[in-house]
Amino acid sequence: MTQRMQEPGRVQGLPITDHQGLQQALQEANLPSLLMVYVQLSGDEAMLDAFASHLQSIYTTEVSEVPEDLATDLRQRLFALLTAEEPINEPPLSTDFVRHMMSVSVGEAVDPELVPVLYDQMGFERPVPRKEQPGRPQPPADFRVLVIGGGMSGIAAGVKLGEAGYNYVIAEKNSELGGTWWENRYPGVGLDTPSHFYAYSFAQSPDWSHYHPKGPEIERYLLNVADQYGVRERVQFNTRVTALRWDEHASLWRVSLESQGEVSEESFQAVINGHGILNRWRMPDIPGLKDFQGVAMHTAGWDPEVDLKGKRVAIIGTGASGAQLAVAIAPEASQLTVFQRSRHWVMNNPEIHLGVTEGVKFALRHIPHYMEWFRFRVYWFTGDGLYGNVLRDPTWEDQSLSISAQNDGARQYALAYMQRKFADRPDLLEKMQPDYPIFGKRIVLDADGGWLDTLKQPNVSLETAGIERIVENGILTRDGRLIEVDVIALATGFELAPALGSMQVFGRGGVEAGAVWGRDEARSYLGIMVPGYPNFFMTQGPNSAPNHAAGVNMVIESQVNYIIEALDLLVARGAKALEPTEAAYREWNERVDSQMQNMVWLHPKASSYYLNSKGRNWVSCPFRLADYWSMVREPDPEALVLK
C-alpha cells in the first residue's frame, strides 16, 4: 500500500465559482466529512484535534454536539480554501495521519489493519488499468472468458476484465442488464443498503436522489456504468447457459447456450458464474394456489398492468419485499390483508425515505474528496460497525434474547421503536415482536409513515393464524375463516438451492457439481472456486454473503479482483488450468464452520433462508467485510494447482 493518500499535487476543480451553491452545500453537507476534506487539503492537524472530543460514534449513548462557533469556523475556512484563486497543492499525508483522521471522523479508533481496505473502498486510490501496467504479461487474444449474468456481479466483472485486456462475453438471460433490479419491479421495491455505499467504489455517483433509492434508480445506475465502460457491447442478451463441460484434453469449458429456443455450443478458457443468489423465485407450497381464480403473482414477477385500485389484496410474507409492497399499495387497495409467516425485527432508520438535498449533491459533485469521505462514514456505520451485532459474546450471561451487549442494544432500540409505534395497538405488538435475537435473520428497515404505520391503517389487517389452503375466491385460514381477495401477492423470497440453479457444471472426470454438493450443501474455496472445476469462478458463492451488514457490492468487487488476479497468475505461469487444492478447500471450510459457531445465525430460535436442511449456514460469511477483503486480495499460489 502507498504511504500517502495520493501523490501531492494541484487539486483539480478549484476554485469553485458558484459561491451560493457552495454556501448551501457547506450548510447541508455532513460536518465530519467536511472536516476531513478541510484537513486533507490543508494538513491542519490543530483543526482536527479541535473537533476530536465533539465527534462520537453513532453507537454510543454519550451525547456531544459540535459547538456552533467551531462548526461556523470550519465552514468559513473551507469556503475560503475552495474559492481561493491560488492553486491548492495537497500536502502529503502518511497512513498514520489518515488513520487519525478516520478515527476522529467516526468517533472511535480505526485499526491500522483496516486502512488498506478503506483506501480501496473510499476510492482514493485510482490504480492504472491492468492492461496499461508495465511488465504485466498480456492475456492472449484467444483467451476467452464467459461471464454468466448481467447484474451487479456481471457488470463489475465486465468492467474489470476489460481493464485487464481479457476477451470476454456476458451471457444474460433477460433482454436487459441489471439483474435483480431489472427483474424486481413490484411497487415500492427499493434498497435497504445506503446508496452511497452500494455503488461500485470505482464508479461512485453524486446523483442519487435518496439515501435509499427505489429500484428503477438503482437499475439506471447499473446501466449507466455498463454503458460508460463499454460492457453492453459484450453482452449476448436473451441467452441462458444450460450446461458447462470441462474438456480436459483441450483445457476448455464447452458451454451450452440457449437462445430463442436454439441451443449452441461455444468454448471458453474460463467461466465466471455471476448469476447471483436472488434470481429464482420461491413459490410457496400452499395447497390450492393453482385453484385461485383471481390474479396471483410473485413480487419478483410483478405485472404492472394489474390495477389494484379498489381491489382486495393479500400479501403473503412480511420480510423486506412484503413490507415495501404493503406501504406502496395500501393507499389504493380497498382492503389489504397481510399474512405473516414468521416474525421479523423492524428497525427504525430515519433515512429510509429521506431525499438527498441539493446542497449535499453539490458537495458530492464539486467539493474535492467529499464523496470519498462521505462514503467512508456510510461504510463504517452500515458495514463492519454492525459486526458486533452478529458475533456471540461467550461472557454474555442470558443469550436467549440477545448474544452480546451490542446485540442487546440493537434489540432494545428496535423494540422501543415497535413499542412506540404500537402504543395504541398492543395486539399488533404481540403478533409481531420476535422471540429470537435481532439479526438472527434479515431485519426490516422502517421509518415514520412506513411499514408499521401501514399496518395500523383501517383498511389493513395482519393475519397470523396461518393459511390452510387457497380456494377459488380467497384464502382459508387454519382457524376456519375465509378471507376473500381479488389479488394475491407472493412476497415469499427466493430459492437459493441448488446453488447453481438448473445449470449443470461437469468438471474433471465428468463429475457434476450438483451431485457433489447435493441440493443445499454447496461449499467452495473462499466462496469463489471449487476443486475439480478448473478455471471456474463464482461471485457470491457459498459462505460469502455479508449478512451482518451492507456490502454485497464490496464482496463482489473483492471477488472479481481475486478472479482476475488468478487469471493473471495463470497467464504469467503459462498454465492452462487453475483450481484450489483439496487441502486449501478443507481448511477454508473448517475455518468457516468454526467461526460460524460464534454467530447469531445459529441461535436455536433463529430460522432463516441462510440455513440448509441440516441447519448449516451455507450462505453467510462469518467474517467482517474487511477481513474477507484481505483474504481474497490476491491468490495464494500454495493453495492452488496450476497445470
Side-chain angles (χ1 to χ4, degrees):
M1 181 189 139
T2 59
Q3 292 303 304
R4 288 192 292 257
M5 179 168 288
Q6 63 178 42
E7 293 299 322
R10 181 170 180 175
V11 180
Q12 301 299 310
L14 297 181
I16 295 176
T17 57
D18 183 353
H19 291 187
Q20 183 176 353
L22 177 58
Q23 289 284 18
Q24 181 180 355
L26 294 175
Q27 289 299 318
E28 297 178 4
N30 176 259
L31 195 64
S33 299
L34 291 176
L35 173 65
M36 296 304 108
V37 170
Y38 173 75
V39 173
Q40 182 174 345
L41 296 180
S42 67
D44 188 347
E45 188 171 8
M47 181 63 85
L48 187 67
D49 294 338
F51 273 82
S53 63
H54 302 292
L55 298 179
Q56 305 292 335
S57 168
I58 66 172
Y59 300 124
T60 186
T61 56
E62 300 178 18
V63 178
S64 179
E65 296 183 358
V66 176
E68 187 57 38
D69 60 339
L70 187 59
T72 299
D73 182 38
L74 170 64
R75 292 185 176 107
Q76 290 175 345
R77 288 171 181 249
L78 193 51
F79 180 85
L81 196 65
L82 297 174
T83 58
E85 292 295 334
E86 299 81 10
I88 295 179
N89 292 303
E90 290 188 39
L93 302 177
S94 69
T95 53
D96 287 340
F97 186 82
V98 174
R99 184 169 69 88
H100 179 42
M101 292 172 64
M102 292 175 175
S103 299
V104 171
S105 173
V106 296
E108 54 186 296
V110 173
D111 294 339
E113 64 183 13
L114 297 182
V115 176
V117 186
L118 298 171
Y119 269 58
D120 177 73
Q121 279 301 305
M122 288 163 65
F124 275 115
E125 291 187 323
R126 303 293 184 185
V128 175
R130 288 174 184 266
K131 61 186 176 184
E132 299 176 15
Q133 294 174 1
R136 170 182 175 265
Q138 296 298 315
D142 60 354
F143 191 104
R144 303 182 72 214
V145 181
L146 172 67
V147 179
I148 303 173
M152 175 166 263
S153 292
I155 293 171
V159 170
K160 294 305 177 180
L161 286 167
E163 288 184 346
Y166 283 95
N167 180 8
Y168 73 93
V169 172
I170 296 177
E172 169 52 52
K173 66 180 181 180
N174 296 317
S175 60
E176 181 54 282
L177 295 167
T180 294
W181 299 109
W182 185 87
E183 293 178 350
N184 284 264
R185 297 176 177 272
Y186 62 85
V189 59
L191 187 63
D192 53 12
T193 297
S195 52
H196 296 89
F197 179 40
Y198 188 79
Y200 300 119
S201 65
F202 58 83
Q204 297 178 45
S205 172
D207 299 322
W208 295 107
S209 67
H210 287 74
Y211 293 105
H212 293 266
K214 299 301 182 185
E217 185 172 358
I218 305 162
E219 183 194 6
R220 286 195 299 272
Y221 164 78
L222 293 172
L223 297 184
N224 287 339
V225 173
D227 291 339
Q228 177 185 349
Y229 286 90
V231 171
R232 180 179 296 276
E233 60 196 47
R234 299 293 194 101
V235 182
Q236 294 181 11
F237 290 105
N238 301 307
T239 300
R240 184 183 295 271
V241 177
T242 59
L244 309 172
R245 291 175 173 81
W246 177 250
D247 184 331
E248 296 190 47
H249 177 73
S251 294
L252 293 171
W253 282 104
R254 308 297 185 185
V255 181
S256 298
L257 301 146
E258 182 181 341
S259 180
Q260 298 179 341
E262 296 186 3
V263 178
S264 61
E265 183 177 279
E266 293 190 42
S267 299
F268 297 88
Q269 275 71 17
V271 175
I272 301 174
N273 180 29
H275 67 28
I277 59 175
L278 301 180
N279 66 351
R280 301 187 303 276
W281 318 341
R282 174 180 289 169
M283 300 300 288
D285 185 17
I286 301 175
L289 181 57
K290 294 181 180 179
D291 299 330
F292 183 60
Q293 296 299 301
V295 175
M297 53 187 171
H298 195 281
T299 50
W302 194 264
D303 182 357
E305 298 300 318
V306 175
D307 184 9
L308 300 180
K309 189 172 183 179
K311 299 290 179 63
R312 299 166 300 178
V313 182
I315 297 177
I316 299 177
T318 53
S321 297
Q324 291 175 345
L325 178 63
V327 174
I329 68 174
E332 57 180 333
S334 62
Q335 177 64 37
L336 176 61
T337 306
V338 181
F339 289 83
Q340 177 177 275
R341 300 189 304 162
S342 61
R343 305 182 186 203
H344 294 262
W345 279 106
V346 180
M347 181 170 280
N348 180 31
N349 179 354
E351 289 189 346
I352 200 71
H353 304 306
L354 192 62
V356 182
T357 67
E358 289 305 313
V360 172
K361 289 180 183 177
F362 185 101
L364 291 164
R365 291 184 184 120
H366 302 297
I367 296 180
H369 309 316
Y370 179 85
M371 184 157 56
E372 291 87 350
W373 280 111
F374 183 72
R375 179 181 172 93
F376 160 66
R377 282 180 59 83
V378 177
Y379 159 80
W380 192 262
F381 292 127
T382 63
D384 283 337
L386 299 176
Y387 185 70
N389 285 317
V390 299
L391 182 64
R392 183 175 62 86
D393 178 0
T395 67
W396 189 249
E397 291 188 3
D398 184 0
Q399 300 204 4
S400 60
L401 295 177
S402 59
I403 60 165
S404 68
Q406 183 175 334
N407 180 267
D408 190 62
R411 179 184 183 275
Q412 296 300 333
Y413 176 78
L415 183 57
Y417 175 69
M418 296 177 73
Q419 290 173 334
R420 174 170 68 85
K421 283 296 179 184
F422 292 149
D424 57 342
R425 290 292 305 274
D427 59 311
L428 287 176
L429 180 63
E430 184 179 357
K431 287 180 177 180
M432 293 189 67
Q433 181 179 333
D435 65 350
Y436 58 87
I438 193 168
F439 290 100
K441 56 184 173 183
R442 186 176 177 183
I443 63 172
V444 175
L445 294 181
D446 194 32
D448 289 341
W451 169 227
L452 298 190
D453 284 330
T454 295
L455 289 171
K456 294 164 54 177
Q457 297 305 306
N459 67 324
V460 179
S461 61
L462 180 67
E463 284 291 338
T464 59
I467 298 174
E468 179 67 27
R469 65 179 297 107
I470 295 175
V471 295
E472 291 184 359
N473 60 337
I475 298 176
L476 186 65
T477 64
R478 289 178 181 165
D479 58 6
R481 291 174 294 122
L482 173 63
I483 299 176
E484 296 185 351
V485 296
D486 306 303
V487 178
I488 298 177
L490 304 169
T492 49
F494 296 86
E495 194 68 61
L496 274 65
L500 298 174
S502 61
M503 183 175 69
Q504 293 183 299
V505 180
F506 299 89
R508 290 191 185 277
V511 177
E512 204 271 310
V516 175
W517 283 343
R519 186 179 183 278
D520 58 2
E521 270 292 339
R523 291 181 181 269
S524 67
Y525 170 63
L526 299 175
I528 300 175
M529 290 188 293
V530 182
Y533 299 84
N535 301 1
F536 177 75
F537 305 93
M538 296 176 287
T539 60
Q540 303 182 72
N543 291 119
S544 67
N547 292 137
H548 70 279
V552 64
N553 54 301
M554 182 174 170
V555 169
I556 289 170
E557 284 188 42
S558 301
Q559 292 173 331
V560 168
N561 177 80
Y562 179 95
I563 292 167
I564 296 178
E565 288 276 357
L567 293 176
D568 278 2
L569 179 63
L570 189 72
V571 171
R573 294 280 184 90
K576 293 185 177 181
L578 173 150
E579 62 187 277
T581 66
E582 286 286 346
Y585 170 79
R586 287 194 302 271
E587 181 183 352
W588 167 254
N589 281 281
E590 289 169 1
R591 186 176 180 185
V592 167
D593 289 346
S594 175
Q595 182 63 12
M596 197 66 75
Q597 299 305 311
N598 303 317
M599 311 308 291
V600 70
W601 307 308
L602 295 190
H603 191 278
K605 292 183 179 179
S607 176
S608 72
Y609 65 81
Y610 306 153
L611 308 181
N612 69 4
S613 57
K614 298 179 181 178
R616 183 176 74 85
N617 187 330
W618 66 289
V619 175
S620 308
C621 180
F623 309 109
R624 295 180 304 174
L625 289 165
D627 297 328
Y628 185 75
W629 181 93
S630 298
M631 293 172 186
V632 302
R633 197 61 190 154
E634 58 184 8
D636 175 9
E638 297 299 316
L640 302 174
V641 177
L642 288 94
K643 296 182 179 179

